[in-house]
Amino acid sequence: MKRANRKIVMVTVALMAVDVLAVAAGNVCIYSLAVLTHTSLTAWSLLTLLVFLTGLVAFIRIPIRGSHRVRANYTAAAKAARDARVFGIPGGVRSAAARFGAGKVEAGAQGEESTAALLELLLGIPGTAVFHGLQFPGSPDADVDHAVSHGNTVFLLDSKLLRWGTYEWRSMGDRDLIVRSDGYGAPRSNAMHVAAAGYRYLLGPDVEVIPVVMIHGRNTSVGPFSISKHGVHMATAEQAMERIGDTFAFALEFWQDNPSVRAALASKLKTFGGAEQSPT
């Protein structure tokens, strides 16, 4: 990219020099015509002004267009660098619409895409990588919606797009249940603690795996029981992003990159269009 931008600068300077020479040559031609026709230079003033203004406009536009190209190169390079740290495609649950119902699947896909857009904001923190659609341990159908890693810390995220209300955890035996605090609606079983256990085994004891259910939806909030008995956090999108961002930012002074974590997570990406995914 630096070489391309240097070339743009060199071409810009050369074009500006050519523009100046062209204006000078135009004025020489006008002077020569005045001498050959035995007329006063005043008679050629309009043409002289036109040549000058044309050259001035070109002189101004050349560096502007060059700077636009340089900025476009930087933008493209930044996008490529960010894309290199994003793995998988959000919203793959849509492939299971026939099995789970279009409405439920679409809500799940919208929640995943909303989370994916937010997670890209974390790529401004060096060493952060984002993953979409990972295999759920021990299940050929279900998936973990997202993971975001930084050094030896991994957040596993389950996206939920819910209607208005306050949500929190209840427990029934070994099951974690998402319920609305006012008791409206049926409890939603959630198995993120199982996914967290599987990925802790995969990544090893030195890697901290934090499971989070991220709630999207207008006028939604999280009640006082925001951590299940199995250690799964529940948070609104704003709360979850603040928690993840603060965790990664706090670790910047002493974190160490761990490519093996990224490689292990990338190896668990699902291929959409193959096995169906559960929108749980």
Side-chain angles (χ1 to χ4, degrees), residues 200-212:
R200 288 186 184 111
Y201 179 79
L202 170 71
L203 299 173
D206 295 331
V207 178
E208 183 181 16
V209 177
I210 305 168
V212 180

Side-chain angles (χ1 to χ4, degrees), residues 104-124:
K104 186 177 182 180
V105 165
E106 184 59 28
Q110 289 180 16
E112 291 181 26
E113 289 166 350
S114 297
T115 299
L118 291 173
L119 293 181
E120 289 204 7
L121 300 175
L122 297 170
L123 295 175

